[in-house]
Amino acid sequence: QVQLVESGGGSVQSGGSLMLSCEASGSTYSVNYMAWFRQAAGKEREGVAGIRRDGVTSYQDSVKGRFTISQHHAQNKLYLQMNNVRPEDTAMYYCAAVDRGGYYSYPPLRPDEYNYWGQGTQVTVSS
């Protein structure tokens, strides 16, 4: 079992920056991929960025060049640096992890590929 706790959300103006953190605990040695997802009010959950244990990353097109996902193995932490944020980035952001399944060339960004989830942290971007 893996437990995930997000932090760092808040309110920020358009064009500003925010860093989200996710602390993992439990059987973290078995985790192969981690990712950030978001869900805006009335919309489906969508993948934002993913990272494989060896550091390979993937991003949703709308955040490429603005968001950066990173990990710190020794601290069991996952980060999402969000720069030049936009009002459409407003959502609940979730940290996710998976310890099952096969090998992917790039980290998957589909919710059904992940089996552990945090409770989420709210990000609100004002114009």
Side-chain angles (χ1 to χ4, degrees):
Q1 291 289 316
V2 176
Q3 295 78 42
L4 304 171
V5 179
E6 303 95 336
S7 62
S11 297
V12 61
Q13 288 192 326
S14 182
S17 297
L18 207 61
M19 175 174 272
L20 306 183
S21 299
C22 172
E23 184 166 3
S25 60
S27 303
T28 58
Y29 58 86
S30 63
V31 170
N32 301 314
Y33 301 88
M34 295 190 75
W36 288 98
F37 288 79
R38 65 187 181 188
Q39 188 166 17
K43 295 188 177 182
E44 293 188 351
R45 191 168 297 191
E46 62 177 5
V48 175
I51 190 165
R52 201 167 64 195
R53 176 170 283 274
D54 61 0
V56 173
T57 59
S58 60
Y59 293 92
Q60 181 195 106
D61 285 347
S62 70
V63 307
K64 285 181 181 177
R66 301 189 298 123
F67 292 8
T68 303
I69 188 171
S70 61
Q71 60 189 356
H72 194 301
H73 289 304
Q75 296 180 352
N76 289 323
K77 286 191 173 180
L78 180 74
Y79 300 99
L80 184 69
Q81 177 65 47
M82 306 168 62
N83 296 329
N84 192 22
V85 295
R86 305 166 181 169
E88 54 264 38
D89 294 322
T90 295
M92 185 71 78
Y93 282 72
Y94 297 91
C95 173
V98 59
D99 62 357
R100 64 182 187 200
Y103 175 84
Y104 300 95
S105 297
Y106 292 94
L109 294 179
R110 298 184 302 276
D112 59 2
E113 296 290 350
Y114 292 83
N115 58 335
Y116 297 108
W117 293 87
Q119 293 299 307
T121 186
Q122 177 68 37
V123 172
T124 303
V125 182
S126 57
S127 57

